[in-house]
Amino acid sequence: QVQLVESGGGLVQAGGSLRLSCATSRSALSIRSMGWHRQAPGKQRELIAEITSGRRTNYAESVKGRITISRDNAKKTVYLQMNSLKPEDTAVYYCNVKGYTTWGDKYDDWGQGTQVLVSS
């Protein structure tokens, strides 16, 4: 049973910071990319940051300069450091891990989501 365990969401005032974490039970060697998506009420889920096994990063324009994604391969964990938070960052944040199993099957795992609420 594959598990993605997210933590770190909560309530923060505008201008504040939060750090999200997501640990996977997948083999570290199988992981190709780890990322964070978010879904605000009434909006579609969007990719905000991802990091590849080679540590190449990609960010949505709306969060560039405020959010940093990183990963610890030994802990099989991806982090999302969010600074200068704005009310429009309020959303449910989902961790996403992509890779290939030992047998070459592609996988695309999602976390249960963690709520981030930014008050003005």
Side-chain angles (χ1 to χ4, degrees):
Q1 183 80 10
V2 175
Q3 287 187 317
L4 286 182
V5 180
E6 301 174 359
S7 61
L11 173 64
V12 64
Q13 287 188 331
S17 298
L18 280 176
R19 189 193 194 207
L20 307 182
S21 301
C22 172
T24 178
S25 61
R26 293 281 189 184
S27 159
L29 292 177
S30 75
I31 298 169
R32 293 297 175 264
S33 70
M34 306 179 86
W36 290 92
H37 298 239
R38 69 184 180 189
Q39 187 165 19
K43 295 188 177 181
Q44 288 190 329
R45 189 176 298 189
E46 62 171 343
L47 172 67
I48 57 171
E50 63 182 348
I51 183 167
T52 68
S53 55
R55 299 187 185 275
R56 179 169 52 88
T57 58
N58 179 42
Y59 294 95
E61 286 297 324
S62 59
V63 303
K64 277 184 179 179
R66 301 188 297 118
I67 287 179
T68 302
I69 190 170
S70 61
R71 60 191 280 177
D72 184 328
N73 289 335
K75 295 182 178 180
K76 300 184 291 182
T77 299
V78 61
Y79 304 97
L80 192 70
Q81 178 66 45
M82 303 189 291
N83 301 322
S84 302
L85 284 163
K86 306 175 181 179
E88 50 263 44
D89 293 318
T90 293
V92 177
Y93 285 69
Y94 296 92
C95 174
N96 176 235
V97 177
K98 295 183 173 68
Y100 291 86
T101 69
T102 305
W103 300 272
D105 296 323
K106 187 175 182 179
Y107 64 80
D108 186 2
D109 300 333
W110 290 87
Q112 78 281 5
T114 185
Q115 177 73 55
V116 171
L117 182 61
V118 184
S119 64
S120 57

